[in-house]
Amino acid sequence: MFEKKSSMRTTYGKELVNLGKKYDDLVVLDADLAKSTKTELFKNQFPERFFDMGISEADMVVTAAGLASVGFKPFCSSFAIFLTGRVYDQIRNSIAYPHWNVKLVSTHAGISVGEDGASHQMLEDIALTRVIPDMTILSPSDSTMVKNLMEKIYNYDSYLYMRLSRNDVYDIYEEGTEFNIGESFIHGIGKDITIIATGQMVSKALEAEKTLKKEGIACGVVDMYTIKPLDTKTIDKILNISKGILVCEEHSYIGGLFGAISEYVVRNNPVIVDFVALNDTFGESGKVEELFEKYGLDKDTIIKKGKSVYDRI
Amino acid sequence: MDVQNLVNISKNARIDILKMVYNASSGHIGGAFSAIDIMVYLYFYKMNYSLENFENNERDRFILSKGHASAALYTCLAYKGIIKENDLITFRKINSKLQGHPSRKLTKGVETSTGSLGQGLSFANGVALGLKLKKINSKVYVLIGDGEINEGQIWEALMTSIRYKLDNLRIILDYNHLQIDGFIENIKDPRPTKEKFESFGFATFVMDGHDFYDIDKTFKFADQVKEKPVFIIANTIKGKGVSFMENNVDFHGSPPTKEQFEKALLELTNV
């Protein structure tokens, strides 16, 4: 169904350069991973506004807060594992609590890190950032979306966390499609079930949807690229039509999008909500598709779980 | 420099800090008393900082990385007119603007929220870096605790100060030798202290953190330094000013009893 793939992190790096040309107050910090996070593209163009902080993420994010305090708009990047778990306290106490406008953009989120294994596969970053008051969390599903969101992120007047993947992901959207912080993209809402997916699970969900429809299940897919603040308007729409929800995310089922949606649904209009996500586990080394299959994040698992939700509604 | 004026401000500040902590039945007197003279020097003599300019980017900045000395910071901000003197007595109480540890969102004049140790120096680096990028000539003063340097992030940040040659930054170490669990030398001994910071590449000075003449001399030397950040080891006494609180770790984070309060008040008033 989808053919072309592209790199969200390369798009991120390119858009940093484009925004850097337009805005003098944009500065970028990285922690010795500029080649991987693609902030190197910005570094090459604007060396005086790029700070390689070395392998010291805690120092990086708080230095960014200091830069924000004199009027700069800093973007900090590293792998998701180091940009959230390692510096949870710094984000909480030195960015969020004093409310500094620092943008945290991670790459290598999720199990799709692949061969590097569990120490580098961040499956808890949404959970960790979601509990921080007023944190905004984005989890884009393709490169067009990243491109469209970047200037909105720059202009967004608060701290924010965005997670991107290491691997290339399928192009879902046509150039020029509009996305907004706080919103979702509704591909469809099913009379039986709706699959709410985020990140690179969206393309898999759209493929699974075709099979489920063929088998007679009235099904739709929503790309919930804003994780926080939760898009309750869209969830309300789904609850008015669907009898069950399946949430798909490349993250632990605890504390992520499944958690966020469940917390909302359970106190409003309870229906069955199930998940396709990491089942309270660490990952391991392997190829991306092998890992998706072994850990139940593939199209077949979405189909199986979709049927299971349908059977229970 | 009107030293008598600074001495008087410090005296009043110590009395207010004592009252604030006693009234709140909680707070950190020891580390506030060791730091207050340096802070009084900076706020009431050295820094370009006033009610008129405290929100301008051109101001000098003081960052209290050892946020538990918050009471000392609040007295300075109150005497500067940035916050209300009447509010001091609400310190650490419910609905107060004056939180146990400084909150940027709640308290005017607080440069950033601190309290989780080890982070203020990174913040100060970011400020110093930003001022240089904007070609603003202001100075950044950051006070760190000697227990605080147990934190690994301090050492990450020290390397950043050096890497970017932040000569608009002055790091002041409140070297009072005590942290909650005892003498710093018995917990994570930083010695040889001066040599450590010198070897990092700092222009390193040692001063008496309770002697305004020595403080002034040191900061004047610091102003001559170019292309290097400045690290000042301030020899201080925890609980300075009250005989039975000096060098006594019991007054790190515990309030005085009624008797101790009255005795301390008498000592501070009769200086």
Side-chain angles (χ1 to χ4, degrees), chain B residues 23-53:
Chain B
N23 188 256
S25 304
S26 78
H28 301 77
I29 291 184
F33 280 9
S34 66
I36 188 66
D37 295 319
I38 298 160
M39 289 164 68
V40 164
Y41 168 79
L42 292 172
Y43 273 105
F44 298 94
Y45 178 70
K46 185 69 181 166
M47 289 203 299
N48 172 25
Y49 185 92
S50 64
L51 185 57
E52 289 71 41
N53 81 351

Side-chain angles (χ1 to χ4, degrees), chain B residues 218-231:
Chain B
T218 307
F219 278 96
K220 277 192 177 130
F221 278 132
D223 286 340
Q224 309 302 315
V225 176
K226 293 274 173 272
E227 297 278 305
K228 271 182 177 192
V230 168
F231 194 99

Side-chain angles (χ1 to χ4, degrees), chain B residues 129-141:
Chain B
L129 204 51
L131 290 173
K132 275 188 175 282
L133 273 182
K134 284 189 183 277
K135 304 202 184 335
I136 295 172
N137 264 331
S138 308
K139 301 274 192 299
V140 183
Y141 300 89

Side-chain angles (χ1 to χ4, degrees), chain B residues 51-63:
Chain B
L51 185 57
E52 289 71 41
N53 81 351
F54 81 101
E55 285 171 326
N56 297 350
N57 238 354
E58 286 69 27
R59 71 185 182 278
D60 289 335
R61 290 157 173 84
F62 174 77
I63 293 145

Side-chain angles (χ1 to χ4, degrees), chain A residues 59 70 89-90 94 98 100, chain B residues 104 112 116 119 122 134 153 160:
Chain A
D59 187 38
V70 292
D89 183 65
Q90 282 76 9
S94 282
W100 293 119
Chain B
R104 181 223 167 198
T112 193
S116 182
Q119 300 181 26
S122 298
K134 284 189 183 277
Q153 190 180 342
T160 298

Side-chain angles (χ1 to χ4, degrees), chain A residues 187-190 207-221:
Chain A
H187 292 269
I189 295 177
E207 287 186 353
E209 179 199 20
K210 281 172 77 178
T211 310
L212 288 168
K213 275 182 170 165
K214 268 185 210 153
E215 300 198 10
I217 299 172
C219 164
V221 172

Side-chain angles (χ1 to χ4, degrees), chain A:
Chain A
M1 169 174 183
F2 298 106
E3 282 164 10
K4 255 192 80 208
K5 281 185 174 184
S6 59
S7 161
M8 292 197 284
R9 55 189 163 115
T10 302
T11 306
Y12 167 59
K14 284 182 182 165
E15 286 311 305
L16 280 179
V17 173
N18 286 336
L19 293 171
K21 286 177 189 158
K22 203 167 160 185
Y23 302 109
D24 288 343
D25 57 1
L26 192 156
V27 294
V28 177
L29 298 88
D30 205 301
D32 197 42
L33 288 169
K35 286 190 180 71
S36 299
T37 65
K38 303 298 176 191
T39 60
E40 189 181 48
L41 299 170
F42 185 90
K43 173 189 176 176
N44 294 339
Q45 195 91 11
F46 305 103
E48 72 291 346
R49 281 193 273 152
F50 177 84
F51 306 102
D52 197 327
M53 303 301 294
I55 310 166
S56 31
E57 297 77 10
D59 187 38
M60 170 173 74
V61 299
V62 185
T63 304
L67 281 159
S69 82
V70 292
F72 288 98
K73 293 193 173 174
F75 279 67
C76 286
S77 285
S78 181
F79 292 175
I81 190 98
F82 309 127
L83 194 65
T84 58
R86 191 182 189 94
V87 298
Y88 172 80
D89 183 65
Q90 282 76 9
I91 296 173
R92 181 190 187 277
N93 280 317
S94 282
I95 293 177
Y97 182 45
H99 213 286
W100 293 119
N101 188 354
V102 174
K103 307 299 195 278
L104 304 161
V105 179
S106 75
T107 65
H108 297 60
I111 202 163
S112 53
V113 164
E115 291 81 350
D116 275 347
S119 64
H120 282 55
Q121 292 162 341
M122 186 34 141
L123 311 175
E124 308 97 44
D125 54 329
I126 295 174
L128 288 170
T129 48
R130 201 163 72 79
V131 289
I132 295 174
D134 284 330
M135 180 60 78
T136 296
I137 305 170
L138 298 175
S139 165
S141 58
D142 88 341
S143 301
T144 302
M145 187 187 285
V146 174
K147 188 175 173 189
N148 185 268
L149 282 172
M150 275 298 284
E151 189 160 8
K152 291 163 188 162
I153 293 170
Y154 166 85
N155 284 313
Y156 192 64
D157 193 24
S158 186
Y159 47 91
L160 173 152
Y161 173 64
M162 176 160 76
R163 73 183 321 235
L164 303 174
S165 313
R166 179 191 74 91
N167 57 324
D168 290 357
V169 298
Y170 283 113
D171 294 333
I172 300 171
Y173 299 103
E174 279 178 30
E175 190 90 19
T177 313
E178 280 293 321
F179 305 94
N180 290 299
I181 297 169
E183 295 181 4
S184 312
F185 190 97
I186 303 174
H187 292 269
I189 295 177
K191 282 209 165 116
D192 294 324
I193 66 166
T194 294
I195 303 174
I196 304 179
T198 194
Q200 61 180 309
M201 296 305 289
V202 174
S203 60
K204 294 177 199 293
L206 287 164
E207 287 186 353
E209 179 199 20
K210 281 172 77 178
T211 310
L212 288 168
K213 275 182 170 165
K214 268 185 210 153
E215 300 198 10
I217 299 172
C219 164
V221 172
V222 167
D223 179 346
M224 198 155 276
Y225 57 85
T226 308
I227 304 223
K228 193 183 176 185
L230 191 64
D231 181 8
T232 53
K233 244 166 82 180
T234 295
I235 297 175
D236 285 341
K237 269 187 206 164
I238 295 168
L239 290 172
N240 278 334
I241 297 167
S242 308
K243 300 190 199 78
I245 292 173
L246 181 66
V247 181
C248 303
E249 58 185 324
E250 193 193 348
H251 184 275
S252 169
Y253 83 92
I254 301 168
L257 183 60
F258 169 68
I261 291 170
S262 299
E263 288 159 18
Y264 180 75
V265 170
V266 80
R267 63 193 154 88
N268 288 283
N269 193 356
V271 297
I272 285 186
V273 184
D274 208 339
F275 64 83
V276 170
L278 272 305
N279 200 354
D280 196 19
T281 182
F282 292 108
E284 66 179 79
S285 294
K287 291 200 190 324
V288 178
E289 287 311 321
E290 292 169 347
L291 289 164
F292 276 133
E293 198 189 319
K294 176 165 178 180
Y295 287 86
L297 296 165
D298 55 339
K299 179 182 150 191
D300 290 347
T301 308
I302 300 174
I303 293 167
K304 201 177 85 191
K305 280 273 186 122
K307 284 180 187 167
S308 154
V309 172
Y310 176 73
D311 287 343
R312 287 179 282 155
I313 58 178

